[in-house]
Amino acid sequence: MRRPAQGWLAPYATVRNLLSGEMTPLRWAQWLTVLLLWGVGLNTLGAAHRTR
């Protein structure tokens, strides 16, 4: 059973949706959210930590 937040926070669940070929507007929003959290957010935190 999937948890409701899994599609919004977990990269694996989002990539599974992306590779399935069934991308609805909601799934695109989930993919963008995961990209921003994991791709942009973690890199920003790492850069901020490195400059301290």
Side-chain angles (χ1 to χ4, degrees):
M1 184 167 105
R2 282 181 59 178
R3 295 184 178 124
Q6 185 177 12
W8 291 98
L9 302 174
Y12 177 72
T14 306
V15 169
R16 232 181 358 176
N17 291 336
L18 185 63
L19 295 176
S20 74
E22 301 173 6
M23 292 299 288
T24 63
L26 176 64
R27 288 187 176 175
W28 278 112
Q30 289 174 338
W31 181 82
L32 182 61
T33 301
V34 168
L35 176 69
L36 290 173
L37 284 173
W38 290 92
V40 178
L42 290 179
N43 284 314
T44 303
L45 284 173
H49 179 70
R50 187 174 180 172
T51 60
R52 284 200 288 155

